[in-house]
Amino acid sequence: MSIFAKKQELDQKGTNDAAASAPATTTTAAGNGARKDYGIGEAIQLLRGLPVDQNPELIVRVVRATLASLNVRLGDIIEDAARKQKATQERIASEHAKVAELEKQLGEHRREIGSLEADLKETTTVKERLQMAEKAAEKAASSPTPLPLRAAGSGPHTQTLLGSKAPEESASSKD
């Protein structure tokens, strides 16, 4: 591939962002002989291969003279660059909007998870308490607890086979 390859050749090889640059045409602009098939994509490709950091002024002069000899107007490339910048900025804004929406959804999902975890914790606590109550009830039902025995005459009323004695009677019968 040559450095000054036509835009159509670059598009076919997939090295150019066709959506962000002007469409390729081989016609001249308004009869002035300027080529419209060379855009910012090709200029970027060209400058990538040149040592721009070593002597930028010389490189720019050589590139400008070379493009002029091929009937490529710098103004057309600059317009194409402006279109590409605008399209790229719009895509960046669109991606930022998508990220913001996803972050909003993520926050909603995190809140839902927090709510579900709190509900699970409360459900688990209540279940454990109910299981403890059920075990206590089963234990009580399986082994009845005997009533405490009182010594004869120790309570206010003493039960006998003949009936009950009032505390006064118990006290007077002991005399």
Side-chain angles (χ1 to χ4, degrees):
M1 174 175 78
S2 73
I3 293 176
F4 300 107
K6 290 184 178 180
K7 184 172 186 171
Q8 293 168 340
E9 293 171 1
L10 290 173
D11 285 342
Q12 290 173 355
K13 293 184 180 188
T15 59
N16 190 11
D17 185 6
S21 62
T25 61
T26 57
T27 61
T28 60
N32 64 4
R35 291 176 49 179
K36 289 282 193 180
D37 60 343
Y38 197 91
I40 188 63
E42 292 78 19
I44 291 171
Q45 191 70 23
L46 172 64
L47 290 174
R48 280 183 187 157
L50 297 175
V52 179
D53 296 336
Q54 293 176 2
N55 193 347
E57 293 174 16
L58 177 63
I59 298 296
V60 169
R61 283 194 344 235
V62 170
V63 167
R64 183 175 50 199
T66 305
L67 292 176
S69 71
L70 295 171
N71 293 328
V72 175
R73 292 185 42 220
L74 291 181
D76 293 342
I77 296 174
I78 293 169
E79 288 175 11
D80 190 35
R83 283 190 296 272
K84 183 176 180 180
Q85 283 177 317
K86 183 179 179 188
T88 303
Q89 289 169 343
E90 289 172 355
R91 286 190 62 205
I92 289 169
S94 172
E95 294 300 316
H96 278 298
K98 290 176 185 177
V99 168
E101 178 61 30
L102 290 172
E103 286 175 346
K104 180 181 172 186
Q105 291 176 6
L106 185 60
E108 291 170 2
H109 287 293
R110 285 186 175 141
R111 283 189 291 279
E112 179 67 18
I113 288 170
S115 174
L116 290 170
E117 286 175 342
D119 186 41
L120 176 63
K121 182 178 179 182
E122 184 178 35
T123 301
T124 301
T125 301
V126 170
K127 177 186 169 192
E128 289 170 352
R129 289 179 182 164
L130 292 174
Q131 286 174 331
M132 286 177 18
E134 185 177 46
K135 286 180 183 177
E138 287 174 2
K139 189 175 183 180
S142 66
S143 61
T145 55
L147 294 174
L149 296 176
R150 295 186 183 174
S154 65
H157 296 282
T158 306
Q159 183 76 24
T160 64
L161 288 175
L162 299 174
S164 40
K165 292 184 181 176
E168 302 84 37
E169 293 176 18
S170 314
S172 60
S173 62
K174 288 182 182 179
D175 293 81

